[in-house]
Amino acid sequence: EDKVVQSPLSLVVHEGDTVTLNCSYEVTNFRSLLWYKQEKKAPTFLFMLTSSGIEKKSGRLSSILDKKELFSILNITATQTGDSAVYLCAVEDTSGTYKYIFGTGTRLKVLA
Amino acid sequence: GAGVSQSPSNKVTEKGKDVELRCDPISGHTALYWYRQSLGQGLEFLIYFQGNSAPDKSGLPSDRFSAERTGGSVSTLTIQRTQQEDSAVYLCASSSPGYAGYTFGSGTRLTVV
């Protein structure tokens, strides 16, 4: 059965800390992996990863994919209270129809 | 429209009543998805539309759940005889041809009392 597992489930850090969020997956036919940030209801897009070893970067956030070991990490440096959110990882499986399978997310809380 | 629009944003209903949730995707997005997120859980896939047809309904949890899409645009998710376990945030997302990734709406928070 296809699955996406995120760790840790929750994390509390102080402003300025660096965090690493993990996402491992098992899907039949992988096409892409997405990271989303969810603060209230609507998840907002962060990154899409399709190739191993190529880091995607946006400001203090970066992400990389390892298709051999079947995982991705999301790094946030110099965290701010505005980074507090649930971070969702989703993997596209094309073995059936084109849909994303989501992990349960990592809840990050950044304290001032 | 500029984004994916969902209505209502919040809905409280009595157990046993039927509810309809609406999703208006981004104009030109042919793919539309419904997901459900229960408290503290990840997103659970419900149904996928390509145009007006639904090639994947595998996530609908029971026959009380149904969805349709008309004109390749607006979609309605209907839950009949609601139960307390149906309480969740229902998220709609759409994507354009050739783009792997979704744009989400703000969701409908459904509370069944």
Side-chain angles (χ1 to χ4, degrees):
Chain A
E1 182 182 332
D2 297 340
K3 62 181 179 181
V4 177
V5 178
Q6 291 187 246
S7 64
L9 292 180
S10 65
L11 191 55
V12 180
V13 299
H14 289 90
E15 274 193 318
D17 288 349
T18 293
V19 298
T20 298
L21 310 182
N22 303 289
C23 174
S24 63
Y25 62 90
E26 293 179 27
V27 296
T28 308
N29 287 307
F30 173 89
R31 185 164 88 145
S32 64
L33 183 147
L34 302 184
W35 283 97
Y36 281 89
K37 178 182 182 182
Q38 186 177 30
E39 293 177 86
K40 299 257 173 101
K41 281 197 274 188
T44 54
F45 173 81
L46 294 176
F47 297 110
M48 180 170 74
L49 303 160
T50 56
S51 301
S52 278
I54 299 175
E55 185 183 53
K56 292 285 184 84
K57 198 169 172 65
S58 176
R60 297 176 294 101
L61 277 67
S62 63
S63 183
I64 198 160
L65 174 67
D66 186 328
K67 290 167 72 173
K68 181 179 176 186
E69 300 298 330
L70 308 182
F71 77 91
S72 174
I73 59 172
L74 174 68
N75 279 318
I76 309 174
T77 59
T79 51
Q80 302 172 357
T81 54
D83 296 327
S84 296
V86 174
Y87 290 84
L88 295 166
C89 172
V91 174
E92 186 181 22
D93 180 9
T94 62
S95 57
T97 53
Y98 290 77
K99 64 178 182 280
Y100 279 93
I101 300 164
F102 281 80
T104 53
T106 293
R107 183 174 298 277
L108 173 66
K109 187 169 178 64
V110 182
L111 303 175
Chain B
V4 178
S5 177
Q6 290 189 246
S7 61
S9 55
N10 286 284
K11 175 75 176 177
V12 179
T13 189
E14 291 182 353
K15 179 181 171 181
K17 295 282 178 71
D18 297 352
V19 295
E20 283 190 355
L21 313 180
R22 177 189 167 104
C23 172
D24 198 345
I26 292 172
S27 178
H29 280 196
T30 56
L32 185 148
Y33 303 80
W34 283 97
Y35 282 80
R36 176 169 75 171
Q37 188 174 32
S38 301
L39 188 63
Q41 302 297 311
L43 275 65
E44 174 191 5
F45 169 79
L46 297 178
I47 187 169
Y48 156 57
F49 286 94
Q50 182 59 247
N52 290 336
S53 64
D56 192 343
K57 307 178 184 180
S58 62
L60 294 177
S62 76
D63 59 8
R64 296 187 295 105
F65 287 73
S66 63
E68 65 174 13
R69 189 179 185 194
T70 55
S73 180
V74 172
S75 175
T76 303
L77 177 69
T78 300
I79 309 172
Q80 296 178 310
R81 305 181 302 282
T82 51
Q83 303 293 314
Q84 287 185 329
E85 62 261 29
D86 299 334
S87 296
V89 175
Y90 289 81
L91 288 161
C92 174
S94 68
S95 67
S96 60
Y99 171 66
Y102 301 158
T103 301
F104 281 92
S106 295
T108 294
R109 184 179 299 280
L110 175 67
T111 304
V112 181
V113 298

